[in-house]
Amino acid sequence: MKQLTDCKGEPLPIFGKGLVTECAVVPGAVPFGSVWNLKVLMVADLSTGSDDIPVPIPGQFYLIRAAKTGLLLGRPISVYMARKAGEAAHIEFLILKKGKGTQEICGLKKNEEVQLIGPTGNSFPTPEKTDKVCIVGGGIGVAPVAGFASTLEPKSYDFFASFKSGSYGLEYVDAAELKITTDDGSAGIHGMLPAALTAQTLKEKGYTVLYACGPTPMLAYVQKICLEAGVKSFLSMEKNMACGVGACLGCTITTTEGNKRCCKDGPVFKGEILQFEPPKYKAIFGSEKPASDFEPDLSVEVAGVKFANPVIAASGTFGYGSEYASVFDVNGLGGICSKGLTLQARPGNTGARLVETPSGLINSIGLENPGIEHFIEHELPSMLELKPVTIANLSGSSIETYVEGAKLLEKTAVPMIELNISCPNVKAGGMGFGMDCELASTVTKAVREVTKKPLMVKLTPNAPDLIGVAMAVREAGADALSLVNTFQAMSIDLNTGRPVFDNIRAGFSGPAVKPIALRMVYDLVQAMNKLPESERIPVVGLGGISCWQDAVEFLMAGASAIQVGTATFSNPNTMLEIIRGLKDYMKQKGFKTISEFRGIAQ
């Protein structure tokens, strides 16, 4: 079957598979290992209805994802070089190792499989024979324009390449004049693009057309000088995208001709129609010089209790601390919440207890625990010997059982109680108290009257009025709030056609809930900030946190500390990695204390 093309004769995108023939570090890129060269052999896939593979033209890109991946979306990567070989296509990409998606792609090995949608987008228009051509590449944006340059007559163009440090991706460039600029002076001219290319340069050189790809600030500058010099420009833009074929409208670019789809109408646009908006916010930095030699203070205080760092093991996921002691050094944590405790021992729920989903975990444990008296005699002493702050998670089936449990804990050395009114996996108590403002207030007040220990109330995201419940328990005597507990969910057995869990509904946690949990923490802190400062209480955020970036987001939303749960099952070292990542982030940004950026998003 003949390759499908559009009305302009350009190849239409297909969904196909490719085999990695090579994936290697690109020499010259700084820091070493930041840029990779991925080479893929794309073969015919009968499922597409075509036995021919489209060969991309300069400027086009593919959505790429590893065949074995936990990521939802492919990453848009511009083509560096491509050639046809029989019924296959050899395609080469330069990839900046940045986020999870590109890190995964850069980790591919020879003969591993990738999924590709493409080639998609338009191309750089061929210059006229009379044109004086200028090509500009910035950072990883060098790749598509270098590929375009390789299709032009040698020495028929000038090429400007701008990098922060080092240089790469220029082996296919055969320019009449090649100028390199680096911000640190490590190669070529010391400085960024304006050090080598200005409107005056464009006029003096007599350029009539300019092609460019790079970071948005650079492209805005290129557009400006081209307009000043009266030079035509074609700029390759970048946007986050989902479909890559023009269907979802998630990658629109603002132009004088209305919204344009980066994936379909672009990525190459006439420079004069683009509308670059200045950044809404500037990058944040702390009081210390970034990356200078200082040790950030990660300590935080919640309800008068000091934690060495803000990372706390969430209740129900970490036992009593000693269970993980042989796996990693639990003394590096800020705190540990005990398993949910009830006055009497509980056997937990019958039937299935766990169901894994592609992005989380559904559990129906049912608060199985040995009872508070057993905990005080057997588990608590070993918890108190550990360095992290011990937090006793108290649950109950009635106000009376909550109160009696609190009385027992009051007599111990436990530094803090987390009042659990949010567990969705019990038929009585738990979430039943946390769904209603009055009930939540009543149980909190009752517990408050029998203990002087700092009281942190754990809230459910399933409450119809989460802010109302939060304010009610604050007024009833809560010293702090933690949220969110798990979301109600269910699973159905395909063989029996019946719900998997005996209780039908169970608690859903994991990475999928993080954006929702973050929004709820943000909303609660925002509501708290409307109160007089003396009436505010701290908020501890949790829900889907699995990396230091997640933790920083919760802290920026206003959380005083964070809890980590499900992620520990996937990677037991998650919490230690979060602590290290948080520390490195603070050094990079110059934050001496967490308070310097806590709540900055509000």
Side-chain angles (χ1 to χ4, degrees):
M1 182 182 295
K2 187 178 179 181
Q3 175 177 306
L4 297 175
T5 61
D6 63 14
C7 58
K8 297 179 182 178
E10 295 181 351
L12 290 170
I14 64 170
F15 176 60
K17 298 176 182 177
L19 290 178
V20 175
T21 59
E22 184 180 352
C23 189
V25 172
V26 173
V30 179
F32 181 79
S34 58
V35 178
W36 290 66
N37 186 340
L38 174 69
K39 297 179 181 179
V40 173
L41 176 66
M42 192 171 181
V43 296
D45 186 346
L46 296 180
S47 66
T48 66
S50 174
D51 58 6
D52 200 3
I53 293 297
V55 179
I57 49 184
Q60 292 188 308
F61 65 93
Y62 284 82
L63 287 182
I64 306 176
R65 66 198 293 262
K68 295 180 180 179
T69 180
L71 299 175
L72 176 64
L73 303 176
R75 295 322 192 240
I77 308 292
S78 294
V79 173
Y80 180 39
M81 295 295 295
R83 62 183 177 85
K84 190 72 179 288
E87 293 185 355
H90 292 271
I91 309 169
E92 195 171 340
F93 305 90
L94 293 187
I95 301 173
L96 177 64
K97 191 175 182 180
K98 189 176 181 181
K100 289 183 179 180
T102 51
Q103 287 175 4
E104 187 176 82
I105 295 170
C106 292
L108 290 168
K109 306 297 182 184
K110 185 175 181 179
N111 293 326
E112 284 195 286
E113 194 174 89
V114 292
Q115 296 174 341
L116 304 99
I117 296 178
T120 191
N122 60 7
S123 60
F124 294 107
T126 304
E128 301 291 337
K129 290 183 179 180
T130 56
D131 277 330
K132 181 70 181 295
V133 178
C134 176
I135 301 176
V136 180
I140 200 67
V142 160
V145 288
F148 170 61
S150 71
T151 66
L152 304 179
E153 287 292 328
K155 314 298 182 186
S156 66
Y157 56 89
D158 291 342
F159 199 103
F160 293 79
S162 182
F163 304 93
K164 287 185 177 180
S165 184
S167 66
Y168 57 87
L170 304 175
E171 55 266 33
Y172 298 120
V173 173
D174 190 359
E177 184 177 13
L178 171 62
K179 285 194 175 181
I180 298 172
T181 72
T182 51
D183 193 29
D184 63 358
S186 57
I189 301 169
H190 191 172
M192 296 307 288
L193 185 62
L197 187 64
T198 64
Q200 186 62 32
T201 309
L202 294 176
K203 293 176 182 177
E204 290 176 355
K205 293 283 189 177
Y207 296 126
T208 58
V209 63
L210 182 148
Y211 304 87
C213 182
T216 300
M218 187 201 84
L219 294 180
Y221 170 76
V222 168
Q223 181 202 50
K224 178 177 176 292
I225 63 174
C226 284
L227 290 174
E228 290 178 11
V231 176
K232 289 186 302 182
S233 64
F234 296 93
L235 310 182
S236 179
M237 301 290 289
E238 183 181 21
K239 269 280 190 158
N240 291 337
M241 58 185 66
C243 71
V245 295
C248 73
L249 303 180
C251 64
T252 54
I253 298 287
T254 305
T255 78
T256 57
E257 300 173 357
N259 285 347
K260 298 284 187 180
R261 299 164 296 179
C262 189
C263 69
K264 189 72 173 180
D265 305 312
V268 180
F269 297 91
K270 292 179 181 179
E272 64 266 23
I273 73 168
L274 295 171
Q275 294 182 319
F276 291 100
E277 298 180 2
K280 292 183 179 179
Y281 305 102
K282 294 182 179 179
I284 57 170
F285 294 98
S287 58
E288 188 68 37
K289 185 178 180 181
S292 62
D293 188 19
F294 75 100
E295 285 298 312
D297 180 5
L298 271 65
S299 66
V300 297
E301 188 175 295
V302 178
V305 178
K306 189 168 183 178
F307 295 76
N309 60 69
V311 180
I312 302 169
S315 174
T317 66
F318 210 68
Y320 305 98
S322 60
E323 291 86 346
Y324 272 99
S326 64
V327 180
F328 71 92
D329 184 9
V330 300
N331 285 313
L333 304 180
I336 298 174
C337 292
S338 75
K339 185 76 180 70
L341 303 166
T342 52
L343 184 61
Q344 303 297 329
R346 287 181 60 99
N349 290 336
T350 59
R353 290 191 172 190
L354 296 174
V355 169
E356 182 182 0
T357 77
S359 52
L361 186 69
I362 309 176
N363 89 84
S364 181
I365 308 300
L367 288 177
E368 178 176 344
N369 74 98
I372 292 177
E373 289 185 343
H374 187 283
F375 165 76
I376 291 172
E377 183 178 352
H378 297 281
E379 286 82 19
L380 180 57
S382 60
M383 284 191 76
L384 293 173
E385 288 178 1
L386 299 173
K387 291 182 180 180
V389 173
T390 296
I391 303 172
N393 183 277
L394 171 63
S395 191
S397 57
S398 66
I399 292 178
E400 291 73 21
T401 57
Y402 273 110
V403 168
E404 292 305 312
K407 287 180 179 179
L408 293 174
L409 292 171
E410 172 66 14
K411 299 175 184 178
T412 72
V414 68
M416 178 180 279
I417 296 174
E418 183 176 52
L419 185 62
N420 185 348
I421 58 171
S422 51
C423 177
N425 296 320
V426 290
K427 293 181 178 179
M431 191 177 74
F433 287 105
M435 294 288 285
D436 179 83
C437 295
E438 185 175 348
L439 284 175
S441 174
T442 300
V443 68
T444 302
K445 184 178 180 181
V447 170
R448 175 77 289 165
E449 290 176 349
V450 298
T451 179
K452 295 180 180 179
K453 293 185 182 297
L455 187 63
M456 179 165 62
V457 180
K458 190 171 187 178
L459 304 181
T460 173
N462 304 295
D465 181 11
L466 175 62
I467 304 299
V469 171
M471 293 304 173
V473 300
R474 178 192 64 82
E475 293 173 4
D479 299 302
L481 302 169
S482 59
L483 74 153
V484 300
N485 207 325
T486 54
F487 292 75
Q488 275 205 318
M490 70 175 295
S491 182
I492 295 176
D493 188 318
L494 300 185
N495 290 319
T496 65
R498 304 298 302 165
V500 170
F501 300 112
D502 286 357
N503 282 355
I504 301 180
R505 296 169 181 81
F508 180 53
S509 60
V513 311
K514 177 248 171 176
I516 309 173
L518 179 65
R519 188 266 300 170
M520 290 180 167
V521 168
Y522 181 91
D523 288 349
L524 179 53
V525 172
Q526 190 173 63
M528 198 69 67
N529 288 343
K530 294 177 181 178
L531 299 174
E533 190 170 355
S534 61
E535 297 180 18
R536 302 172 192 170
I537 60 175
V539 174
V540 175
L542 65 150
I545 297 173
S546 59
C547 60
W548 69 263
Q549 292 92 335
D550 293 341
V552 170
E553 282 193 73
F554 274 82
L555 294 169
M556 286 182 168
S560 293
I562 59 101
Q563 294 184 16
V564 178
T566 304
T568 301
F569 302 146
S570 173
N571 174 14
N573 289 318
T574 295
M575 286 185 282
L576 294 184
E577 291 173 1
I578 288 174
I579 294 168
R580 287 194 294 268
L582 178 58
K583 183 177 180 179
D584 290 343
Y585 172 78
M586 292 174 68
K587 288 179 68 69
Q588 180 189 30
K589 287 289 187 177
F591 293 121
K592 296 172 69 175
T593 64
I594 286 174
S595 62
E596 288 192 42
F597 64 92
R598 179 191 292 122
I600 200 168
Q602 291 288 339

